[in-house]
Amino acid sequence: MLLDQLRIPDDLWSREDIRAALAARDVGALFRLLARHTGASQTRIGAAVGLEQGYVSRIIAGRKVTSIEVLERIADGCGMPDESRMTLGLAPGQRSCRPDMADRRDGRQSDVPANRSWREDVRAAVQLWEGDVNRREVLRQIVFSSAAYTLPALRWFTATSPQTVAQEGRQTVGQPDIDTIREMTATYRRLDNQYGGGHARDNVTRYLHQEVTPLLTQGRYDPQIGRKLLTAVAELTQLAGWQAYDMAEHGLAQRYLTHALDLARTADDPGLGAEILAAMSHQATYLGHTATGVDLARAARHTAHRAGITVLAAEALVMEAHAHAAARDSVACATALHQAEQALDRADRSGDPQWLGYFDEAYLSAKFGHCFTALGQHRQAERFATRSLRMDERYVRGKAFNLALLATIQARHGEPDRASVIGGQALALTTQLKSARAVRYVRDLQTNLLPYRRRPTARHLINRIDAALKQRR
């Protein structure tokens, strides 16, 4: 449900002062008028348009908004009619693509989004990359909203026949260009796993903006190359979203993952689509939106079956299990975990895509450990967390996560000395990473050690964590 939309009377948009604010692109004046006429607080306005309250406050105080991404979000969040959107300098909204403003036929509201053209998907992604490179401070103010995953998921499942992706441009695009994007993605993915999402995120966004954008917008390619190009770009866009997620830039991560899914849909790549939906589920559950996490995981599983990739179905089931565990539904969690094990046992891994290499027995064990930890079943959680450490050493961030998980389990089970030893190893790896998630896991461990701070080992690690991480998030 789109719970965040403001209730704005239709006649408010025809007021002269509102029209003047829109014509001048004076968003601060617009927010002040909306607050006056609707009684909405800055927090309420921020929730509606997907911006932090502090940023809304700065806009009202006079900060200019020039980002098309942010203006579009404000227009959508306020439910602006087309005339108001155009006064603000934006294109008319596609009503059939918005459940809350869909066309009505025979008195019924359509909740199926129209099929967007591939050029619209490309244009939206390009705008995001440009905005991320040039106006990152603005985009960082965007907040995560579980409702914002509804529309891209609907687009994914209601898309009509695949579109022809072809273009007559100045620059010939061929297989070598696609291979280069894939090689760059593999390199950036390796760096992400070894050093965290913050290590190469700037490089990824610049590469998308400076190198990939010209290929998409100015390139000449036939339908076969066009589809391959969009698939490669979707994969790199998904990685950029994952990096933003790892750095706790959750609203921005959501935008990247959404655009990645749209590109995968246009490229008709259900395997990659399932992987992106699973990533969306991962983020939603991490942020406590467990119902959304379950829904997205089920969407990923359905898509994996369509793609015929059993291991992807196993991954989706693991994501669903984690969401159930976070919601304290032990029965549904156990069912999903059992199905995940069965799916992984019968999966043929010989044809796995490169981006799925991380999903192995160690990863599965770690997810089991997280599930049992959330359910308070510490002995089972410890068994799987220990098993998760039999992992590929190239996944440094993953090892930091798994060590912190094991130490946290031990602390919660009343074994602070063991937890402090393992936690020290997790801290050592975390200090080498640019990863907000790794920091959060270590901070969670620190919180669980606080009841034992009179014990020398626990007190020593608590102090080490404060000294090493300081103000890091």
Side-chain angles (χ1 to χ4, degrees):
M1 293 187 300
L2 300 180
L3 299 176
D4 290 336
Q5 190 174 24
L6 286 169
R7 302 290 183 181
I8 301 175
D10 290 340
D11 60 359
L12 195 62
W13 298 109
S14 61
R15 288 181 57 92
E16 191 60 35
D17 50 2
I18 294 281
R19 290 169 59 85
L22 293 172
R25 275 197 176 177
D26 189 343
V27 180
L30 174 64
F31 283 171
R32 288 193 295 273
L33 290 167
L34 290 179
R36 181 189 308 164
H37 294 299
T38 68
S41 65
Q42 292 182 8
T43 300
R44 184 78 179 86
I45 292 173
V49 301
L51 298 174
E52 296 281 1
Q53 180 274 327
Y55 192 56
V56 171
S57 177
R58 291 195 291 275
I59 292 173
I60 290 175
R63 188 184 187 93
K64 297 296 182 184
V65 176
T66 58
S67 165
I68 296 298
E69 285 278 332
V70 176
L71 291 171
E72 285 279 4
R73 179 172 282 253
I74 291 169
D76 288 343
C78 292
M80 278 186 200
D82 284 348
E83 183 180 356
S84 298
R85 290 177 61 91
M86 290 187 287
T87 303
L88 189 59
L90 302 175
Q94 296 188 17
R95 293 178 181 272
S96 57
C97 287
R98 293 160 62 189
D100 55 312
M101 298 180 65
D103 290 335
R104 294 178 182 270
R105 296 181 177 88
D106 301 323
R108 293 175 298 177
Q109 181 171 329
S110 170
D111 59 357
V112 179
N115 197 37
R116 296 201 322 186
S117 75
W118 71 269
R119 294 182 189 278
E120 289 177 289
D121 291 329
V122 167
R123 188 181 306 116
V126 165
Q127 287 178 343
L128 175 63
W129 305 335
E130 179 185 14
D132 197 6
V133 169
N134 297 325
R135 298 182 295 274
R136 178 163 296 173
E137 182 184 351
V138 173
L139 290 177
R140 279 178 175 164
Q141 305 301 324
I142 296 173
V143 296
F144 177 90
S145 167
S146 59
Y149 274 148
T150 301
L151 182 54
L154 279 173
R155 277 200 297 263
W156 176 262
F157 282 109
T158 60
T160 56
S161 57
Q163 301 177 47
T164 299
V165 181
Q167 181 170 273
E168 293 294 332
R170 299 194 304 267
Q171 178 181 352
T172 300
V173 178
Q175 189 62 48
D177 298 294
I178 295 167
D179 292 340
T180 299
I181 295 173
R182 292 195 180 284
E183 285 295 326
M184 294 297 290
T185 302
T187 297
Y188 287 134
R189 197 178 297 281
R190 177 177 56 80
L191 293 172
D192 176 64
N193 286 321
Q194 288 186 333
Y195 303 107
H199 179 76
R201 195 173 105 61
D202 289 352
N203 292 330
V204 171
T205 53
R206 277 196 297 269
Y207 181 74
L208 284 165
H209 175 53
Q210 296 172 0
E211 304 296 333
V212 174
T213 292
L215 296 178
L216 288 170
T217 60
Q218 302 169 26
R220 181 170 65 255
Y221 37 85
D222 60 27
Q224 182 180 17
I225 289 296
R227 275 186 143 172
K228 291 181 178 179
L229 176 62
L230 286 193
T231 295
V233 174
E235 184 183 338
L236 184 55
T237 303
Q238 188 253 356
L239 175 60
W242 192 255
Q243 291 175 318
Y245 167 28
D246 194 45
M247 291 305 296
E249 297 175 347
H250 291 294
L252 184 57
Q254 184 173 39
R255 298 300 287 272
Y256 268 100
L257 293 177
T258 295
H259 288 309
L261 186 66
D262 284 338
L263 293 171
R265 170 183 53 81
T266 302
D268 194 28
D269 189 330
L272 182 56
E275 174 71 3
I276 296 167
L277 285 164
M280 291 174 165
S281 172
H282 197 298
Q283 183 191 26
T285 298
Y286 180 83
L287 294 174
H289 300 271
T290 55
T292 299
V294 169
D295 288 343
L296 289 168
R298 288 174 174 169
R301 177 165 38 130
H302 178 85
T303 305
H305 286 311
R306 178 179 133 204
I309 305 178
T310 305
V311 69
L312 266 176
E315 178 192 21
L317 282 162
V318 167
M319 297 304 167
E320 181 181 344
H322 195 182
H324 285 309
R328 305 296 190 271
D329 189 339
S330 59
V331 175
C333 175
T335 299
L337 288 178
H338 178 64
Q339 292 174 338
E341 283 186 305
Q342 289 181 318
L344 193 59
D345 285 343
R346 65 175 182 269
D348 178 6
R349 306 299 304 269
S350 60
D352 280 2
Q354 183 186 50
W355 40 258
L356 199 52
Y358 70 91
F359 190 78
D360 55 14
E361 291 289 346
Y363 184 91
L364 188 67
S365 295
K367 296 303 287 186
F368 273 54
H370 280 289
C371 288
F372 288 122
T373 299
L375 294 171
Q377 300 176 23
H378 300 303
R379 283 304 180 195
Q380 286 175 288
E382 182 174 11
R383 177 162 57 90
F384 283 104
T386 300
R387 189 181 301 173
S388 74
L389 295 175
R390 304 171 194 163
M391 60 184 299
D392 188 330
E393 294 294 325
R394 292 175 298 177
Y395 295 97
V396 178
R397 180 181 56 200
K399 187 170 184 179
F401 291 169
N402 295 351
L403 286 166
L405 171 64
L406 177 57
T408 298
I409 293 166
Q410 292 168 338
R412 290 182 181 179
H413 200 252
E415 301 177 280
D417 293 335
R418 294 178 65 205
S420 298
V421 173
I422 299 297
Q425 298 174 37
L427 176 62
L429 290 182
T430 298
T431 57
Q432 303 170 26
L433 298 167
K434 290 185 177 180
S435 167
R437 284 192 298 154
V439 171
R440 172 176 162 175
Y441 285 134
V442 171
R443 288 294 192 187
D444 285 348
L445 167 62
Q446 184 183 42
T447 299
N448 281 278
L449 284 173
L450 287 176
Y452 306 101
R453 57 185 174 274
R454 293 183 179 277
R455 301 184 68 136
T457 54
R459 183 171 62 252
H460 179 63
L461 181 58
I462 289 169
N463 293 336
R464 279 182 60 201
I465 290 171
D466 280 336
L469 300 183
K470 297 178 183 176
Q471 299 302 315
R472 283 183 59 184
R473 58 179 190 127

